Amino acid sequence: MAGVNKVILVGNLGKDPEMRYTPNGVPVCSFPMATSESYKDRNSGERITQTEWHNIVAWNKTADLVESFLEKGKEVALEGKLTTRSWEDDNGNKKYITEVVCHEILFLGGKG
């Protein structure tokens, strides 16, 4: 049976997108994205906001669009898949990062 790896997020960019290119000239753009949810604490009645940060990576034309139109604080909706990659740092320690590889993006406006 085939699995499903699909992520849908609506949130705000945490900083300006960073564009780079592979040795073959393929554009890759990355940025952090924050999603928040609020709830009321049952005991105190205080409104609590919980923010989760996501590492987003866009490739090719999607990367070009992100670099051209987005900046820190802008609100977006995106769809993609979760990926985890690993590498060795300068001290030989294995490091891991989980990212959302963005396939589709919708600019919502908002802050910025």
Side-chain angles (χ1 to χ4, degrees):
M1 185 165 134
V4 175
N5 183 353
K6 186 173 186 174
V7 176
I8 299 171
L9 298 172
V10 177
N12 298 83
L13 272 70
K15 66 179 190 175
D16 290 340
E18 295 178 10
M19 180 67 101
R20 62 189 187 282
Y21 296 87
T22 67
N24 294 337
V26 177
V28 184
C29 195
S30 57
F31 58 93
M33 181 176 171
T35 56
S36 297
E37 61 180 330
S38 295
Y39 62 92
K40 192 180 245 184
D41 184 272
R42 289 183 181 178
N43 297 326
S44 68
E46 179 183 353
R47 174 133 322 266
I48 297 174
T49 300
Q50 201 167 11
T51 301
E52 192 71 37
W53 287 93
H54 313 276
N55 298 305
I56 311 297
V57 178
W59 292 81
N60 299 309
K61 287 204 178 270
T62 306
D64 290 332
L65 288 170
V66 167
E67 183 195 32
S68 297
F69 297 106
L70 293 180
E71 59 188 11
K72 180 180 178 176
K74 291 286 188 179
E75 187 178 20
V76 297
L78 63 82
E79 184 177 309
K81 68 177 184 175
L82 278 179
T83 61
T84 301
R85 60 185 172 89
S86 64
W87 71 95
E88 279 192 17
D89 68 9
D90 295 337
N91 298 325
N93 299 318
K94 196 157 194 174
K95 301 285 186 173
Y96 295 90
I97 188 169
T98 299
E99 302 167 313
V100 176
V101 177
C102 176
H103 298 299
E104 293 185 35
I105 193 159
L106 178 64
F107 308 141
L108 301 176
K111 299 175 186 161

